[in-house]
Structures are given as C-alpha cells and as structure tokens.
Amino acid sequence: MVTGRAIGIDIGGTGIKGAVVDVGTGSLVSDRIKVPTPSGAEPEDVIEATRALLDRVADAAGDDTLPVGVCFPAVVQHGRTMSAANISKRWIGLAAQDLFAEALSRDIFFVNDADAAGYAEVRFGAAADEEGLVILTTLGTGIGSALIHRGILIPNSELGHLELDGQDAESRAAYSAKEREDLDWAEWAERLQRYYGHLEFIFSPDLFVVGGGVSKHWEEFFPLLDLRTRIVPATHRNNAGILGAAALARS
Ligand code: BGC
C-alpha cells in the first residue's frame, strides 16, 4: 500500500485549489487553500498564481520536498496541454508540465483534472470496490470524464465533447448549461438522460460516478434518469482533483 503525504493542486476555470494529502487514507491533512483563477486563464498568470499557492501549501506542510501533483482542465499528453475548452487558447500545444516545473522549482506530476478526480474515486471513493469499467463524469463549467477499467486509468477520454444532436455535449448538459439557460431539474435531466444514455450505449460501463459540485444534489436528478448502469454520486466532489493529483504524484 502507498503511504505518505503529497501535495495536490487542482487548476480550474474559476479557482485554483491546493492541499496536503495523506495518500494512504485519501484525506486532506491541511486546510484547503483556494485562490481565483486569473481572468482569461492565460498561461503566465495561471502559472504564477499556482506558484504562489504552492508556497502557501508547502508552508502549511512544513516540508518543501513533498511530491506535487497538478491537475488541469485540458487534454494532457506527454506533459503538453493539447486542448483549451474553457481556458485561454494559448495553452494548446504548450509544454505546460515543464513550464510549471520550472516556475515551481520541482518536478511535478501533471494530469487532466477529470482523470485525477476519477483516480481519486477509484482509489478512495465511490468506485473503490468496482472491478469493471467505471466512467466518472464531472458536471461543472464543462463536462470532464475519466475512463477506468479494473483500476487502470485510460487518460484523456474527453467524453464531454461527444457530439450529441449536432452539438458539443458539454454545451448542452454541463451544470453551466443548467445555470445559463435557467433549466429546472427536470429539463436538465432530459439532457443528462440523452447524454448518459449515449455513453451507456457506446461503452456498456459497470458504474457511472457523477462528480462536480452539483453532485451533492444528486437526489434531485438521479431519480429522473432511466439507465441500465448503476449511477452514484462522487464521494469527494470538490476535493477529488486534489486527492487524485496527489495520489498520482506518489504512485
Ligand atoms: C475539458 C476537459 C476537462 C473538463 C472539466 C472540458 O471542457 O475539455 O479536459 O476535464 O472540461 O474541467
């Protein structure tokens, strides 16, 4: 079993959060520090805000040598950010892992945010005992996804960008669409039904885990969905990215 502490940092479209994690138990062992994502989410500004945040978290840890995992809302391939759905387009193609490592003066583990959250749910959360195929989706500004089979993460699945009825799925079914269009639970659930029904048809998963802040209201919309697949709320919600990034940095 993996033990020890690591720092997890979760970079999102609206906030950057970090904390020290006990990767044996999957719990935060420091306060969570959160700062706003600089407006426009330009690379230099986000990197600088992350550096300042890490200083504070490392101070709280009383240890400057802990492994650091950073998760980010884009495709991450070989350390490069390869997409930019809700952040500055300048991230596309950047060697972001190296840029962060240089600014933070240490090596980091760098991973997509939904992949980190999915890993956390499989290691320490709602999918801990699941032997088959798990699909985690985070319903937030966008839709993030993690595909995990028998505990192995298949990275960068980007299932929020499936085309559904001629549109990008996240633009219809993310939590931001509910807010933007002022949809009630039933109206939003119709879109989620279409979305999860399609995922189910393509992948035949064993379990859907639904994350993102709105998943704490799962009782409002899960009963409105008609799926073959079991669907459960994420255990860690807003901390899942931090936990997963830290656990991956220690793995
Ligand atoms: C991005 C994903 C990310 C998700 C959640 C999507 O728009 O394409 O990479 O995981 O948002 O932040």
Side-chain angles (χ1 to χ4, degrees):
M1 176 172 154
V2 184
T3 56
R5 294 187 305 160
I7 292 173
I9 297 182
D10 182 356
I11 299 177
T14 54
I16 306 178
K17 312 175 274 202
V20 186
V21 173
D22 177 328
V23 300
T25 58
S27 48
L28 302 194
V29 291
S30 74
D31 284 342
R32 190 177 74 162
I33 300 178
K34 183 169 179 180
V35 297
T37 305
S39 125
E42 296 296 339
E44 303 74 17
D45 302 339
V46 170
I47 291 171
E48 172 49 26
T50 305
R51 190 201 57 71
L53 179 92
L54 176 61
D55 275 356
R56 292 170 61 195
V57 179
D59 260 5
D63 184 346
D64 209 26
T65 64
L66 293 178
V68 176
V70 177
C71 67
F72 194 84
V75 168
V76 174
Q77 205 172 17
H78 311 296
R80 283 182 187 270
T81 37
M82 301 304 287
S83 66
N86 296 300
I87 50 176
S88 158
K89 300 292 172 223
R90 288 180 50 232
W91 287 98
I92 298 174
L94 268 197
Q97 178 166 354
D98 288 347
L99 294 175
F100 277 106
E102 199 177 313
L104 307 181
S105 309
R106 72 192 80 197
D107 286 343
I108 59 160
F109 190 97
F110 193 55
V111 62
N112 169 264
D113 57 355
D115 282 342
Y119 187 76
E121 293 296 332
V122 167
R123 277 282 298 275
F124 320 113
D129 297 318
E130 184 52 57
E131 307 257 293
L133 178 64
V134 177
I135 298 183
L136 166 120
T137 51
T138 58
L139 301 175
T141 311
I143 296 182
S145 67
L147 209 56
I148 297 163
H149 185 237
R150 298 186 168 199
I152 309 277
L153 174 68
I154 296 131
N156 295 314
S157 48
E158 291 294 329
L159 301 177
H161 299 294
L162 280 179
E163 190 180 308
L164 264 190
D165 305 326
Q167 293 187 59
D168 193 22
E170 75 171 22
S171 70
R172 299 271 301 158
Y175 179 59
S176 59
K178 178 180 187 310
E179 291 201 301
R180 194 174 52 243
E181 298 180 45
D182 202 15
L183 304 176
D184 63 24
W185 292 111
E187 289 165 329
W188 189 45
E190 269 178 41
R191 297 185 182 189
L192 293 175
Q193 173 65 36
R194 180 88 184 90
Y195 180 60
Y196 287 111
H198 192 57
L199 286 185
E200 177 174 79
F201 173 68
I202 301 177
F203 292 102
S204 299
D206 294 285
L207 181 69
F208 284 125
V209 180
V210 179
V214 69
S215 63
K216 66 170 172 288
H217 301 298
W218 63 273
E219 281 164 295
E220 302 280 359
F221 58 101
F222 281 15
L224 307 177
L225 302 176
D226 178 17
L227 301 165
R228 283 184 280 123
T229 312
R230 275 179 301 131
I231 183 163
V232 294
T235 309
H236 296 294
R237 288 195 283 268
N238 287 332
N239 291 337
I242 294 176
L243 293 172
L248 284 161
R250 264 274 174 201
S251 62

